[in-house]
Structure formats: C-alpha cells, structure tokens
Amino acid sequence: MSAPLSASKLTITKTTNPKPKLPNDQLVFGATFTDHMLTIEWEDGIGWKTPEIKPYQNFSMDPATCVFHYAFELFEGLKAYKDKNGNVRMFRPDKNVERMNKSAERIALPTFDGEELIKLIGELLKLDHSFIPEGRGYSLYIRPTLIGTDVGLGVHFPKKALLYVITSPVGPYYSTGFKPVRLLATDFATRAWPGGVGNRKLGANYAPCIVPQIEAAKKGYQQNLWLFGEEKFITEVGTMNVFFVFKDAASGKKEIVTAPLDGTILEGVTRDSILDLCRERLDPAEWTVNERYFTIFEVEDKASKGELVEAFGSGTAAVVSPICEIGWRDNDIKVPVNEKTQIGDLTQQIATWIAELQYGEKDHEWSRVVV
Ligand SMILES: *Cc1c(COP(=O)(O)O)cnc(C)c1O
C-alpha cells in the first residue's frame, strides 16, 4: 500500500533569515516570493512522503531529471485574500486541487487527496501570512507545481515526483484602473486541439504560445484570440477563458456566451464561477447564459449590426480583462466599453460580484477562511 498524502505528517523548518517586505505599490506579479515553501516527495511503491515547509530555496537536480527533457510538469494558480477582519481566505481551492489531479493523471504523475493539500497550503499561509498584502486587488498568488523527478533519458512514467508550493504577493492586475486590451484573432497558430491537452494546466501548453504573442505584439495587439478549425471557433484569449455579450436587435434579449468544455478549453475556476453567478443573478427574462460554439464570423457579423455589447477574458490573475478591439483579417472589430469606466457594464458587475466573495465582504460557500 502506497502512503496517501497526509497533512498530519507535516514538518516545519522556519527561516532564520526573513526577507524584507515590499510596499504594496512595488509588487510585481510573480516577481518576489515569501519566506517559505512547501515540498512533498513521492515515490512509486512508497507513496507520498513527509510534507515539509522550509525556507524558500533552490533545488539541486540531476541534469537528466525527466522534467527537464519531457515536460513532466503541471501547475495551478490560485490566491489567498486578507479580509477586513484579518482572516485569510481562499476562493474555491477545491476546484484547483481537483484540476491539479486531472492534470497529473494526464501525464502519469501521482494524484493525491486534494483536501490534504489545501490543509498544507493553509499551514504555509499561516507561517507567511504577514506577506499577504491587504486591500481590494491585493492578494497572495499561490503556485502549486508537480514535476517528475526520475533520472534518466528513457521516456516512461516517472517513478519519482515532487509536489511543491511557492507563493508571491501581488497587487491589482490593473494598477491604474481597467485597461481594455486589443486582441489579434489568431488562426496562424493553434493553442489546443481535440484529443490534445489544452484542457489541462501543463507547462508544455504555454511556451509555444509566446511566439504567436510576439507576432501579435508586432502588429500592435497585446494578446491572441485563439481560433480553432475551419469554422474559426473562438476558444480562449491569451491564457484566459473568454466571454462575449450579444444583444438581439429585434427582441432586445441579451446573451452571455463562452466556449463549451470540449477538451480544448481550460476549465477555468473563474469561468465556472461567472457562469454560475450569471445563471443565478441575471434576470432570465432579459438574459440567456450559454456555453456554446461561436465563431469570429458570428462576432464580426453581430458587431456590424450593432449587436456586440462587450467582451472580456477571465482568469485568476485579473479576474476579468476587458476587450476593446479584435484584429481580424483586414477588419478591426470594435468592441464597446463604457467610456467612463473603460470596461463593459456586465464585465464590471461580474468583477464586483467576484471580488465581494473573494474578500469575504459577502458570505459564500466559495470563500474559505483558512487562517
Ligand atoms: C489558468 C488558465 C485559465 C483560467 O483559469 P482560472 O482557474 O480561472 O484561473 C484559462 N485559460 C488558460 C489557458 C489557463 O491556463
């Protein structure tokens, strides 16, 4: 019997060299890290070993370790928030550990009891809570990572693995208010495809997206709007899910729509939360909430008829990211934003709904007090 991951076995070694803390206005996403990290080794036949919290430090690994050659790597991204009573909260961490296990299964890395990992992350947050910046927009970004650590160049399932968690204090994604982005509708490169791994948070999915992003940047666009197939289905934007809002000119009915989870779409926690909140809170007499296929041609057509209302990306880092323009062939499709706020009205509403839950301003089962 292999040992399950168990938080009760945790050992803690505290740093003797605490880092200085940056003032809030100097925080850069993912650039600085807290004093401690969590590591847990796994070995085939033995199972999960002792979880350790120890000072943030380098790894020493054999150059033939399989993670360096065959991309046995996956990660998660979630945040801890300090509420106004000083409690530390996590937003739907059960969704992240569930997704992490699905990623692990896909590349033959070991799975684990997600609730045990959440407890261990809670212990890490307890130790490093003074690094969690306070205030709306501020949080501690948590990066769980799982790598294969087998040594050798044979391509086979890793008999050793390492799960680790590092954390980074972060500020608001848009420090000077929302800045809507210009997208390049991209059919010269494909992010994900049927039967592939686009629905899993594998490191291998991200490096190939940088060259297309550089191509977009050369043409003056910040992100790729990833299209798929002959039909030019809209899938995701950059490393976020994407939502469009349409309004039928004849009936006045509005629709919020995002691509269905068909294996090519990353199963975003923010995406799922937005769908749930919209289904629960938008008036069904006025709105429909849809996961369905839609194409750049549909968006182009609706824009030309004045039926495109707004569009935004969604993900943990920014929550929502408003879109103002989409470059598509020789046409620049204008996406409306509220002139004053530089964001669509529903996009703004959703951002507020989610922040209220993340910061514990409204009680909700999605927000868990961990420390
Ligand atoms: C992480 C990620 C998302 C967003 O997921 P969240 O759980 O909402 O942060 C969307 N698309 C891609 C490709 C991602 O990697």
Side-chain angles (χ1 to χ4, degrees):
M1 246 285 280
S2 292
L5 177 59
S6 168
S8 64
K9 292 195 224 157
L10 175 67
T11 67
I12 297 178
T13 311
K14 287 188 188 168
T15 185
T16 53
N17 193 11
K19 297 175 186 173
K21 287 167 192 88
L22 287 178
N24 278 1
D25 62 352
Q26 282 175 34
L27 296 174
V28 174
F29 180 83
T32 57
F33 299 92
T34 60
D35 278 340
H36 299 92
M37 65 199 280
L38 167 71
T39 65
I40 319 154
E41 291 178 9
W42 174 89
E43 196 170 331
D44 189 35
I46 295 175
W48 290 100
K49 300 185 185 178
T50 308
E52 293 178 72
I53 288 176
K54 54 192 176 193
Y56 189 96
Q57 60 193 265
N58 290 351
F59 293 134
S60 172
M61 284 185 203
D62 190 298
T65 304
C66 68
V67 61
F68 300 135
H69 299 271
Y70 308 123
F72 285 100
E73 194 272 356
L74 61 93
F75 63 95
E76 270 302 321
L78 69 162
K79 285 173 167 178
Y81 309 84
K82 222 168 235 180
D83 70 21
K84 57 182 183 306
N85 301 319
N87 299 316
V88 178
R89 293 168 175 270
M90 281 199 271
F91 185 71
R92 308 188 78 186
D94 50 306
K95 298 290 280 181
N96 293 92
V97 293
E98 181 190 332
R99 188 170 68 188
M100 193 171 179
N101 272 317
K102 288 187 192 171
S103 298
E105 268 175 353
R106 186 63 183 82
I107 57 171
L109 287 175
T111 57
F112 52 87
D113 180 340
E115 284 300 321
E116 294 298 302
L117 182 59
I118 294 172
K119 276 187 221 161
L120 288 164
I121 292 173
E123 293 300 318
L124 182 61
L125 296 177
K126 210 180 275 178
L127 208 55
D128 282 344
H129 76 93
S130 60
F131 281 90
I132 308 176
E134 285 173 48
R136 266 276 184 110
Y138 291 89
S139 58
L140 187 72
Y141 185 78
I142 304 168
R143 171 51 62 90
T145 311
L146 180 57
I147 60 175
T149 51
D150 244 22
V151 174
L153 299 183
V155 183
H156 52 70
F157 95 87
K159 294 187 181 61
K160 285 182 173 178
L162 174 67
L163 194 167
Y164 65 93
V165 181
I166 55 176
T167 62
S168 170
V170 296
Y173 206 76
Y174 305 97
S175 46
T176 56
F178 283 105
K179 275 205 187 68
V181 296
R182 306 178 67 228
L183 309 179
L184 181 62
T186 300
D187 61 356
F188 55 85
T190 307
R191 194 198 80 88
W193 44 88
V197 292
N199 58 342
R200 300 291 173 250
K201 237 171 162 64
L202 309 184
N205 281 331
Y206 298 85
C209 292
I210 299 305
V211 167
Q213 195 193 340
I214 293 169
E215 287 300 307
K218 277 184 196 153
K219 298 183 172 123
Y221 300 93
Q222 286 115 313
Q223 287 292 348
N224 303 93
L225 179 64
W226 300 107
L227 305 181
F228 179 77
E230 304 270 287
E231 298 90 343
K232 316 286 178 201
F233 291 121
I234 289 177
T235 63
E236 299 205 49
V237 50
T239 58
M240 301 177 106
N241 296 115
V242 71
F243 286 82
F244 280 74
V245 179
F246 302 131
K247 180 176 185 167
D248 184 67
S251 68
K253 255 198 109 154
K254 288 192 260 188
E255 176 190 28
I256 175 165
V257 60
T258 192
L261 300 180
D262 65 355
T264 68
I265 305 294
L266 202 288
E267 299 170 8
V269 178
T270 317
R271 173 190 179 282
D272 186 75
S273 306
I274 291 170
L275 286 169
D276 265 23
L277 290 172
C278 285
R279 284 181 177 130
E280 189 186 293
R281 298 184 182 185
L282 293 177
D283 178 3
E286 197 185 341
W287 285 94
T288 53
V289 181
N290 281 329
E291 295 164 79
R292 67 163 174 90
Y293 289 107
F294 64 109
T295 68
I296 188 71
F297 299 114
E298 179 178 348
V299 168
E300 187 179 37
D301 177 57
K302 290 213 154 86
S304 73
K305 294 192 283 194
E307 295 185 330
L308 173 58
V309 180
E310 56 193 272
F312 60 95
S314 80
T316 294
V319 185
V320 294
S321 171
I323 296 163
C324 60
E325 203 169 307
I326 302 167
W328 168 237
R329 295 186 174 161
D330 293 327
N331 186 8
D332 261 336
I333 303 170
K334 294 270 182 258
V335 185
V337 288
N338 182 313
E339 277 302 319
K340 214 169 78 206
T341 57
Q342 290 297 296
I343 180 172
D345 293 340
L346 181 66
T347 312
Q348 175 68 71
Q349 175 66 262
I350 288 169
T352 304
W353 281 344
I354 291 185
E356 284 170 352
L357 306 187
Q358 288 172 334
Y359 289 91
E361 291 160 22
K362 297 236 165 94
D363 258 342
H364 199 279
E365 58 185 5
W366 286 348
S367 177
R368 273 206 221 184
V369 174
V370 286
V371 179

